[in-house]
Structure formats: structure tokens, C-alpha cells
Amino acid sequence: MIKLKLERTPAPMWSKALIPIVAVVVTFIITSLLIILADANPFTAYYNFIVVPLSSKFSALEVLVKATPLIFTGLAVTFAFASGYYNIGAEGQLYAGAVAAAWVGATFTNLPAIAAVPLELVLGFIAGMLWALIPALLKIKLKVDEVVTTLLMNSIIMYFISALLNGPWRDPETGWPKSPEFFEAARFAQLIPKSRLHIGFIIAMVLVLIVYVVLKKTPLGLQMRAVGASKVGAQFAGINVNRTMLIAALVSGGIAGLAGVSEIAGIHYHLISELSGSYGYTGIIVATLGGLNPIGSTIAALFIGLIDTGSQTVSRVLGVPVYLGDVVQSTLLLVTLGMLLLQNYRIKRQ
Amino acid sequence: MGDFVIDLIAATLRIATPLIFATLGELFCERAGVLNLGIEGTMFWGAFVGFAGASLTGSLWLGILLALIGGMLSGFLMSILSVRLGVNQHVSGLGITLLMTALSLFGFRLIFGENRVLPSIAPFQQLNLFPNSAILGPIFSQYTLTYIAIFLIPVVSWILYRTTFGLNIRSVGDNPEATDAAGINVYRLRTIALVIGGGLMAVGGAYLSVAQLGSFTFGIVAGRGWVCIALIIFANWQPLKVLWGSLLFGGVQALQSRLQLTGIKLPYELFLSLPYIVTILALTLAGRNVSAPAALLKPYKRE
């Protein structure tokens, strides 16, 4: 009998690029079991998932609409994770940004768009940073695990928003828990008539470039990646680890805040407690699939946007529950995580 | 006033029940060195499997049993990722939460379709231990699962501190290298801890659907899993303190909902966010002194 054993060897470069593709295939094979359970043909289902949304202009634009918040949150998570700071709080920081934008959108009704939109973005960024500040300080001053604190901050802001929407911001006419509607000039301009695509997408794209340059081409980016690779090593190399992590945490919070600004000023025009469809958490999927690389995470965001749009098509055409999209996304995350580690192993004859 | 207090105590026990189950589950995982952020999704999954199981088989207890098994599978999946493969515990745990939530939503739609009327079952009856007492009667009119939850606390405490199995669990959580050197299989023990933990979390979730509500709603767990993560820290990783933490949380929540009914104007959101705020404060004050298992969050790699 041939004896086999697993042996640890460093992964070759090509396997890094191959992983997301193989992960997608493996995920589709696993989730096709659920499609069969729902009495549908997996091939027809995946055709509707992947191809149909891209075959009409309207739904192709909708993919970009759905990807926009994920590009932001994916970048936010990438920025933090790349420097070894596990910010799980993008969801809460997103809402903080949205609250700031909602305040601008309901208050400064005389501002022209050229002033209102930048004000929303700046205040949204700051609000996201502030919501990220407490966990970041606790981490660097007291070594308190940031995962638990950022996670708890997500729950806290939801109650804060509930208090706002059931209190001072309750709609005075309808009594619904939603904030006053944005005035016209505070809304993001539409990019293409009769589609929901707005300038938030362009802002996201610019941000991708900025984050890429910062991470890959600046001393700060080098320090961040060094800290991410090994805190002890970075310390020895003379890098101020605490300062680097603080910057990463706060900028990450700010970018997540921009996701909230983009969703509220581009799509909803008022604050509601269902503003985010878990975009903060999905950002973790996006960043992981993208290999903590800004470009990779953008591609991943577009792919998840496609799955989001496709799951609605699949549900409409084949009657498969729309939540199949969520199952595919989370399975993809777990499969990718597993494969990222498995690539370091080879099966050898003993 | 007396009735108000009696009612308050009874409600506190009802609210604390799912927290006790799930926190004890998380305790097993964390004492073995694995932070299981899959708790929120596993509770949701338990609520779904329990409800679907009970309504398809017609037996409430069979529903609870299926939820237990379903939760153990969820814990096993977590163990493959975080123990066998050594994936970062934060990300794999959140991944489990996302997956179990998605699977539950998918399964619910698949089995029950899109109904205008929420599907429901006749939930568990409450069991009155003191039918002849005016005070103890109402307080101890609880679901059997509540009595089981309270009974579990000394049991878990006994397992963790008085059995070899518990000693091994604690030692893989504190010093896996030394435990391995002593000839104990770290991977296997952590896997068992996660499987037990997942089962308890899911029963906590199933309590919500099968005992308390008699139906399954998409907001049924509503962050209770994260409360449990907070309670563990609050309880300093000790089973007996889990009881006090859960009762305190249950009490605050029962109090605020009753005060709200009386029309007293209170920012109830502040009350609901208290456990989170208190936990962050506790972490701040305790800083590095919290007695978390030493190897928590560290994947074990046998070289």
C-alpha cells in the first residue's frame, strides 16, 4: 500500500492567482446540491446567476450599483487587515458615516451640490473614524482584542440609530422611523439616466487607486504591511507599530463611513435602520477573496455584486429562494479560507 | 408591586435561558482556545432547525434534538476550519455565522415558501413546579428547557473543573504545546469542544422558536449571540458567573420592557445597548488582566 502524508511547502506564486477561480468552481459544485433540493437545474441556475445579469444594460448597471458599497467596505477591511488590525466593525462605521451624511442632507438645505456633497463625504469619513476610535485606542493602549470591541460597537450604533429614528428624526408626517429626506442638491448625481448608478461608484473607483498607491507605493504602506506580516519584526525594524495600527484602524473606519455616505446619498436619501444589507460583514468576504489587495478586492466586490443581482434573477425565473445568493457568498468565503491554507500543503508519498 | 416583582423574576428567567445555553456553548469553545464567532449564526440555525424539525415531525422535543445535532454539525464545520486548517478564528467564525444564517433563510423559504401568514406551531407549555404557592408558583412556571439550562450550569462547572476531560479542555486552551507533549490530541479535544459548544448554541436558538415564540422570524436571534460573547468576558470565563451575567442581562431587559408598558418614557435603546457598553468598559478596566485562556485565538500547528 502506498502511504501518503501531507507536507508543508511554500506555495508557488501562480497558485495565489488560481485560488479564487478554483474556489468559485468548488463553491458552485457544493451549492448546486441546494439548487437540486429546490427542484432546479444547477446549470440553468448558474446561467441565470452569472450570464443573464450581464446580458442586459439595466441589470449590468445594477451589478455596479450593488458592488459600490462592497468596494468601499472591501477597501476598508483590506486597509485594516493588511496591517494586522482585525476591524470587524465596518458595519457600524458605515452607519456612523450614514448618520453624518443624513445630518448634512437634512440640515444645510441652502447649500449647492458642489459644497453639500464634499461636506457629506468629509463628515462621513470623520464619523466613521470616530466610531473606530475607541476600539483602536483600547487596542494600542491596553491591548484589548479589537475583534470583540469593534463587533460590539456595531450593535451599539444600531440602538443609537433606533433611538434617533424613533426620537428626534422620526418622520413627522408618516410617523415612520426614517430621517427627513435629503434636499435635492445633497443627493449624489445619477451617472446614467434611468439607472440607479450614481457618482458613489466613481468615488469608489478613485478610492481604489488611492488605497492601492498608499498600500503599495508609500513608506506608510510598507510599514503597514510590515506590521501586518509580523508585529515583533516590524518593531525590530524600528517601525512605530502602535502608530501604524492606529492610522490603519482610523482610515479603515473612515472608508467604511464613506460606504454609508454613498448608500444614503446615492440610493436611499434618508436614514433607515436597514440601510446596509450587511455590507460591512460582506466587506470581510470581499477583502479575503481579493487577497487583501485593493484591486483584487474590487474584482471580488464586482463578483459579489453579480451574485447579489443574479440571485434575484434565479429566484424570479426558477423559484429558488433568493437567499441562495447569501449561501453562495458565505460558502465562497469558507472555501477560499480553507484553500488559502491548503495551498501550503502537498501530498507526498511516504 | 408584589405581582410586578414576581412577574419580573419569571420574565428574567425566560429571557436568560437562551443566553445560558449559548454562553455555556461558547465557554466550551473558548476554554479550549477557540473564539467561536459562529455563535450568532449557529443560534439562528438552531432556531430554524428546531422550528422546522418540530413542525415537520410534529414533535417539539424532536425539533430540539435536531437543532442540537444541527448545531453540532455547525461546530464541526468551525473545527475543520479553525482547528484542522488553522484558519484565522475571527474570519472563519464570522464566515460560519454568515453561512448558517444564509442556510437557515434558504431552508425556511424552501420548506415553508413565501407566506403571508407566518407559519407557526403550538410551542412548549410551561411547567409549574409549585402549583400551590402564590409566589413560587408564578416564578417557577417555566419551560422545561429553562430548568435544563439552570441545571446545566453546575454540570458544566463540574465537567470543566472536576473531570479529566474538563482538565484537558482547559489545558489545550491554556498551553496546547505542553498538552500535546503530554500525549493528548489537541486537534481532537478542540474539535470535541467546538461540537459540544455548537450543539448548546443551537439549543439556545431553538428555545426561542420552539418554546418562546412558536414560530421562526428573521429577527429571532437579534444579536443575542454577540451578547453571549460579551457575557463570557463579563463572566471571566467561569461557568457559575455565566448564570449571574445572563440573569443580570435578562433582568435589565425584562425591566425595560415592563417599564415601557407602564408608559414611563425611557430611552429603551440605552437599556438594550447596556450589555455591550458594560462589556467594553469591563475590558477597558480589566485590560490585560482578564483571565482569558492563554491560547485563545491561536491556531495550533503540530510541527
Side-chain angles (χ1 to χ4, degrees):
Chain A
M1 207 179 106
I2 305 165
K3 281 201 170 174
L4 298 173
K5 68 164 189 168
L6 279 175
E7 193 171 86
R8 274 173 73 84
T9 44
M13 276 307 287
W14 54 262
S15 79
K16 267 200 169 147
L18 207 62
I19 280 184
I21 299 164
V22 179
V24 167
V25 175
V26 172
T27 302
F28 280 178
I29 294 171
I30 296 174
T31 46
S32 65
L33 290 175
L34 293 177
I35 300 174
I36 295 168
L37 262 183
D39 272 338
N41 181 325
F43 292 101
T44 332
Y46 283 116
Y47 177 78
N48 281 290
F49 240 116
I50 307 292
V51 184
V52 172
L54 296 176
S55 57
S56 91
K57 189 187 153 197
F58 175 79
S59 56
L61 288 173
E62 196 59 20
V63 171
L64 300 183
V65 173
K66 291 234 155 65
T68 303
L70 300 177
I71 297 175
F72 281 111
T73 53
L75 286 178
V77 173
T78 297
F79 208 83
F81 279 32
S83 28
Y85 182 86
Y86 288 96
N87 178 16
I88 310 293
E91 183 81 359
Q93 293 141 15
L94 179 153
Y95 275 102
V99 169
W103 180 66
V104 174
T107 313
F108 304 99
T109 46
N110 294 324
L111 281 184
I114 193 82
V117 170
L119 186 64
E120 283 162 15
L121 291 170
V122 170
L123 289 184
F125 193 89
I126 293 174
M129 280 172 73
L130 286 177
W131 203 254
L133 181 66
I134 295 174
L137 285 179
L138 288 178
K139 168 76 175 183
I140 63 167
K141 296 283 180 205
L142 296 168
K143 302 252 180 294
V144 175
D145 180 37
E146 74 276 21
V147 171
V148 173
T149 47
T150 50
L151 188 66
L152 298 181
M153 294 295 281
N154 291 345
S155 301
I156 294 174
I157 200 159
M158 291 320 293
Y159 289 117
F160 173 67
I161 284 175
S162 161
L164 267 181
L165 294 182
N166 290 309
W169 279 3
R170 185 192 284 274
D171 192 314
E173 278 157 36
T174 62
W176 287 108
K178 61 181 195 184
S179 76
E181 196 145 88
F182 274 45
F183 61 96
E184 203 68 43
R187 300 177 184 184
F188 281 5
Q190 301 303 120
L191 282 180
I192 294 164
K194 286 185 193 155
S195 89
R196 299 201 301 160
L197 193 65
H198 52 86
I199 55 163
F201 180 71
I202 303 293
I203 298 171
M205 283 299 153
V206 174
L207 202 62
V208 172
L209 286 180
I210 297 176
V211 170
Y212 180 81
V213 171
V214 170
L215 269 181
K216 305 282 177 185
K217 309 279 178 203
T218 66
L220 173 69
L222 184 67
Q223 289 169 8
M224 284 173 55
R225 283 181 290 138
V227 173
S230 160
K231 292 192 176 71
V232 181
Q235 196 99 45
F236 270 117
I239 294 170
N240 188 336
V241 173
N242 279 346
R243 183 175 150 272
T244 312
M245 275 212 288
L246 183 64
I247 294 173
L250 295 187
V251 173
S252 167
I255 297 174
L258 291 182
V261 177
S262 164
E263 279 308 282
I264 196 170
I267 304 276
H268 294 281
Y269 307 135
H270 45 237
L271 185 63
I272 46 170
S273 54
E274 299 84 21
L275 184 80
S276 164
S278 303
Y279 299 134
Y281 297 111
T282 313
I284 298 167
I285 303 183
V286 166
T288 308
L289 288 180
L292 300 187
N293 172 309
I295 312 281
S297 107
T298 306
I299 297 171
L302 291 169
F303 184 71
I304 301 283
L306 176 63
I307 290 181
D308 269 341
T309 317
S311 62
Q312 284 167 358
T313 321
V314 175
S315 160
R316 206 175 46 241
V317 177
L318 299 174
V320 176
V322 69
Y323 302 103
L324 180 64
D326 296 344
V327 179
V328 170
Q329 290 173 19
S330 43
T331 309
L332 187 56
L333 172 70
L334 297 182
V335 170
T336 311
L337 285 171
M339 288 184 50
L340 280 173
L341 280 140
L342 275 180
Q343 69 171 343
N344 294 324
Y345 290 89
R346 295 287 168 278
I347 297 173
K348 284 269 167 68
R349 261 192 213 179
Q350 212 161 30
Chain B
M1 190 61 204
D3 283 353
F4 181 83
V5 173
I6 288 169
D7 176 55
L8 188 71
I9 296 172
T12 299
L13 286 168
R14 275 198 299 277
I15 298 170
T17 305
L19 301 176
I20 295 174
F21 274 114
T23 311
L24 288 178
E26 183 71 32
L27 188 69
F28 267 103
C29 307
E30 293 197 17
R31 286 312 291 255
V34 182
L35 172 73
N36 188 354
L37 291 182
I39 184 171
E40 176 82 9
T42 305
M43 287 182 81
F44 194 69
W45 171 244
F48 159 68
V49 174
F51 176 75
S55 77
L56 294 180
T57 64
S59 157
L60 299 174
W61 282 110
L62 213 50
I64 298 287
L65 181 68
L66 288 170
L68 177 73
I69 296 168
M72 291 166 96
L73 287 174
S74 163
F76 184 65
L77 190 58
M78 176 72 188
S79 79
I80 293 177
L81 288 159
S82 63
V83 179
R84 292 286 165 183
L85 292 173
V87 174
N88 173 316
Q89 293 178 6
H90 306 134
V91 186
S92 50
L94 277 173
I96 295 282
T97 282
L98 294 174
L99 177 67
M100 295 333 271
T101 307
L103 275 179
S104 311
L105 294 171
F106 181 87
F108 186 73
R109 274 288 151 80
L110 194 65
I111 297 173
F112 299 99
E114 245 172 292
N115 289 300
R116 296 210 176 276
V117 187
L118 197 65
S120 63
I121 49 171
F124 278 119
Q125 294 295 310
Q126 291 168 353
L127 185 69
N128 192 338
L129 291 187
F130 301 94
N132 300 322
S133 164
I135 296 171
L136 293 179
I139 290 181
F140 290 100
S141 286
Q142 299 286 350
Y143 303 108
T144 312
L145 281 171
T146 303
Y147 300 121
I148 296 177
I150 295 170
F151 177 68
L152 265 181
I153 288 179
V155 172
V156 170
S157 186
W158 179 77
I159 292 175
L160 280 178
Y161 292 102
R162 293 276 180 274
T163 65
T164 321
F165 171 68
L167 175 74
N168 290 344
I169 292 257
R170 285 184 294 128
S171 59
V172 291
D174 279 327
N175 194 341
E177 290 81 10
T179 318
D180 195 354
I184 289 161
N185 188 332
V186 176
Y187 295 132
R188 208 179 69 191
L189 263 173
R190 285 190 168 179
T191 301
I192 294 172
L194 279 167
V195 168
I196 296 175
L200 288 174
M201 292 168 191
V203 172
Y207 167 87
L208 294 167
S209 61
V210 180
Q212 220 170 21
L213 275 181
S215 58
F216 176 77
T217 63
F218 288 8
I220 194 164
V221 175
R224 281 184 180 81
W226 308 142
V227 171
C228 297
I229 297 282
L231 282 176
I232 289 272
I233 298 164
F234 191 76
N236 220 5
W237 288 268
Q238 285 166 25
L240 291 178
K241 288 188 183 162
V242 166
L243 177 65
W244 307 129
S246 306
L247 289 178
L248 187 65
F249 176 83
V252 169
Q253 219 186 22
L255 184 66
Q256 74 85 15
S257 65
R258 268 149 196 78
L259 288 180
Q260 221 185 349
L261 283 180
T262 61
I264 299 172
K265 262 283 192 193
L266 272 173
Y268 74 95
E269 288 92 355
L270 184 67
F271 272 85
L272 292 178
S273 57
L274 269 179
Y276 306 103
I277 297 172
V278 168
T279 304
I280 293 180
L281 280 177
L283 281 169
T284 312
L285 296 177
R288 235 350 186 189
N289 300 329
V290 289
S291 41
L296 190 64
L297 296 175
K298 296 191 184 92
Y300 181 67
K301 281 209 179 67
R302 195 166 192 218
E303 295 300 340

